[in-house]
């Protein structure tokens, strides 16, 4: 009569481990395709990118299989050892290591979601080490451009220089109100981190004035949902709130109909994309700034760096900017490794 073993042998064989991990990669690739996100860290991979990541993951799968190590048994020491072995056979820059660990983090999280278990955090822990976290060269991803403290002060002073009396007394009120509107738009970008496309979509009800520190001064915006970005709220710097308050008075004085916060015409029509871009360029030029590329991006970067330098939490600033991908904030961390002259 055959007897049963005292302990059931539930450990997977090396072949099973490798096959299981390779299937996990296939399922993850398919998941990215099904989700169809447009965010860089979630969108479907191009064939070349998928092939590179597959090669890396299959190499890691063999490493685990040779050691009889399932995914929940992988720790920081194992990942470090695996990367060390790879470094003996090929040159691994810090950026390569970071991308490898990002891949592992994605797969570890996906496995946790699939099995309803806690995710393995070993890759996450290694990614949080400074020498890995900031391992992106300027060639791969240029540092964000931003205004210095002196430049910011100059622009803020320019944006704040108009008064309601100058609007009322202007020989050409139509031109005067357009200038005030344009400056308000730039103020929302620099003082609130709002994207140009979102500025076009703002309505009067999206401005919060009540319960602010200063009576009658807007202090918060509610940004409508757009694409994959849900509705959010973003704080306004005090000076930007004053510029916006002036515009609201001017808008009321001119009796502009409709509910668009910054309309295109005196009849209250929505601002067009092209006209908004031209308005930004005009304001920056009049303020004495010669720039290449998107002025709005530079202003948003300045807003983000100012908030982070002031001690605001990364998660909060990410939410205010409307970023869904946490990796979008890494570029700011790289700048703030050194003293930054922002206002």
């Amino acid at each position: 009569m055959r007897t049963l073993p005292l302990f059931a042998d539930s450990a997977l064989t090396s072949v099973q481990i490798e096959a299981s991990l390779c299937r996990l990669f296939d399922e993850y690739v398919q998941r990215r395709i099904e989700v169809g996100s447009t965010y860089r860290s979630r969108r479907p991979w191009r064939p070349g990118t998928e092939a590179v990541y597959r090669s890396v993951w299959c190499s890691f799968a063999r490493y685990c299989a040779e050691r009889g190590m399932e995914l929940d048994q992988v720790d920081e020491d194992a990942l470090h050892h695996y990367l060390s072995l790879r470094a003996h056979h090929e040159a691994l820059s810090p950026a390569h290591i970071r991308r490898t660990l990002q891949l592992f983090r994605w797969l570890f999280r996906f496995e946790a979601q699939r099995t309803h278990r806690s995710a393995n955090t070993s890759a996450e822990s290694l990614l949080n080490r400074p020498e890995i976290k900031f391992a992106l060269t300027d060639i791969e991803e240029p540092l964000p451009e931003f205004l210095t403290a002196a430049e910011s002060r100059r622009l803020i002073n320019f944006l704040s220089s108009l008064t309601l009396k100058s609007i009322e007394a202007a020989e050409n009120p139509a031109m005067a109100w357009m200038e005030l509107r344009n400056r308000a738009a730039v103020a929302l970008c620099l003082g609130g981190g709002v994207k140009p496309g979102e500025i076009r979509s703002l309505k009067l009800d999206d401005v919060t004035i009540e319960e602010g520190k200063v009576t009658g001064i807007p202090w918060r915006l509610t940004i409508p949902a757009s694409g994959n970005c849900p509705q959010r709220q973003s704080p306004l710097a005090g000076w930007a709130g004053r510029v916006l308050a002036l515009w609201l008075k001017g808008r009321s004085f001119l009796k502009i109909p409709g509910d668009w916060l910054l309309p295109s015409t005196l009849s209250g029509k929505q601002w067009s994309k092209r006209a908004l871009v031209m308005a930004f360029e005009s304001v920056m030029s009049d303020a004495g700034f010669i720039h290449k590329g998107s002025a709005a991006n530079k202003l948003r970067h300045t807003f983000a760096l100012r908030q982070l330098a002031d001690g605001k939490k990364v998660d909060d600033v990410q939410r205010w900017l409307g970023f869904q991908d946490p990796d979008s904030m890494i570029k700011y961390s790289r700048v703030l490794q050194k003293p930054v002259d922002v206002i």
Side-chain angles (χ1 to χ4, degrees):
M1 181 176 177
R2 183 179 178 184
T3 59
L4 295 175
L6 183 60
F7 298 104
D9 185 9
S10 60
L12 297 178
T13 66
S14 60
V15 174
Q16 290 173 322
I17 291 175
E18 184 173 355
S20 174
L21 292 178
C22 289
R23 282 196 304 272
L24 176 65
F25 184 88
D26 291 335
E27 292 176 15
Y28 178 68
V29 170
Q30 184 60 34
R31 179 59 177 166
R32 292 180 76 114
I33 294 173
E34 292 172 353
V35 171
S37 175
T38 58
Y39 293 109
R40 186 175 182 180
S41 65
R42 303 177 190 175
R43 66 192 181 196
W45 287 324
R46 296 176 179 176
T49 302
E50 180 185 330
V52 171
Y53 279 141
R54 183 181 296 277
S55 174
V56 172
W57 182 257
C58 289
S59 168
F60 178 66
R62 286 191 296 273
Y63 173 87
C64 293
E66 291 169 357
R67 290 156 181 79
M69 185 166 51
E70 298 181 44
L71 212 56
D72 59 356
Q73 297 173 311
V74 176
D75 57 17
E76 290 182 45
D77 290 338
L79 290 180
H80 190 275
H81 184 237
Y82 166 74
L83 292 170
S84 299
L85 291 178
R86 278 195 63 194
H88 282 301
H89 300 285
E90 56 184 302
L92 288 183
S93 68
H96 288 144
I97 293 173
R98 182 173 178 275
R99 287 198 182 96
T100 298
L101 292 174
Q102 281 181 330
L103 172 65
F104 292 174
R105 179 176 63 181
W106 293 333
L107 269 296
F108 290 173
R109 288 177 176 176
F110 177 68
E111 170 66 5
Q113 293 171 0
R114 193 183 67 162
T115 59
H116 305 289
R117 294 186 298 183
S118 298
N120 185 318
T121 60
S122 56
E124 185 84 38
S125 298
L126 286 182
L127 276 168
N128 284 328
R129 293 185 182 181
E131 66 273 19
I132 300 297
K133 187 174 183 178
F134 307 114
L136 284 174
T137 66
D138 292 345
I139 295 178
E140 292 173 307
E141 184 179 343
L143 293 174
E145 295 185 353
F146 57 91
L147 300 181
T148 65
E151 291 172 332
S152 296
R153 291 191 188 96
R154 179 154 58 91
L155 180 56
I156 290 171
N157 289 337
F158 175 78
L159 297 176
S160 306
S161 62
L162 281 181
T163 64
L164 189 57
K165 289 183 178 180
S166 67
I167 302 296
E168 296 171 344
E171 295 182 4
N172 189 339
M175 293 299 295
W177 85 265
M178 288 176 62
E179 178 63 20
L180 180 56
R181 177 204 60 187
N182 295 350
R183 294 192 188 192
V186 173
L188 296 185
C189 191
L190 177 60
V194 188
K195 304 174 187 176
E198 295 169 339
I199 291 174
R200 294 179 57 247
S201 302
L202 288 172
K203 296 187 176 182
L204 293 171
D205 290 342
D206 296 326
V207 180
T208 301
I209 299 177
E210 295 76 15
E211 300 181 1
K213 293 182 179 180
V214 182
T215 303
I217 301 299
W219 61 278
R220 186 178 64 193
L221 296 174
T222 299
I223 315 297
S226 176
N228 292 328
C229 184
Q231 177 181 289
R232 69 183 192 279
Q233 292 184 325
S234 179
L236 266 181
W239 67 266
R242 290 189 290 274
V243 173
L244 182 57
L246 180 62
W247 158 250
L248 291 173
K249 290 180 181 178
R251 192 185 190 287
S252 177
F253 170 77
L254 293 165
K255 299 180 180 179
I256 299 176
D259 55 0
W260 295 115
L261 177 62
L262 300 170
S264 175
T265 64
L266 290 173
S267 63
K269 292 182 179 179
Q270 186 180 19
W271 214 349
S272 70
K273 294 180 181 179
R274 178 57 183 162
L276 178 60
V277 172
M278 293 176 63
F280 264 77
E281 293 176 350
S282 175
V283 171
M284 296 300 288
S285 176
D286 291 345
F289 290 89
I290 301 175
H291 64 279
K292 296 180 180 179
S294 171
N297 284 342
K298 179 179 288 189
L299 299 181
R300 274 169 50 84
H301 292 329
T302 305
F303 169 82
L305 288 167
R306 176 66 187 93
Q307 300 301 321
L308 294 170
D310 195 42
K312 301 298 189 298
K313 295 181 179 179
V314 174
D315 290 346
D316 288 339
V317 179
Q318 177 187 330
R319 185 177 67 256
W320 296 339
L321 291 170
F323 290 151
Q324 299 301 297
D325 185 355
D327 288 347
S328 298
M329 299 299 293
I330 292 176
K331 55 181 173 287
Y332 302 123
S333 301
R334 293 169 57 216
V335 173
L336 291 174
Q337 283 182 288
K338 302 177 181 179
V340 179
D341 181 31
V342 293
I343 184 172

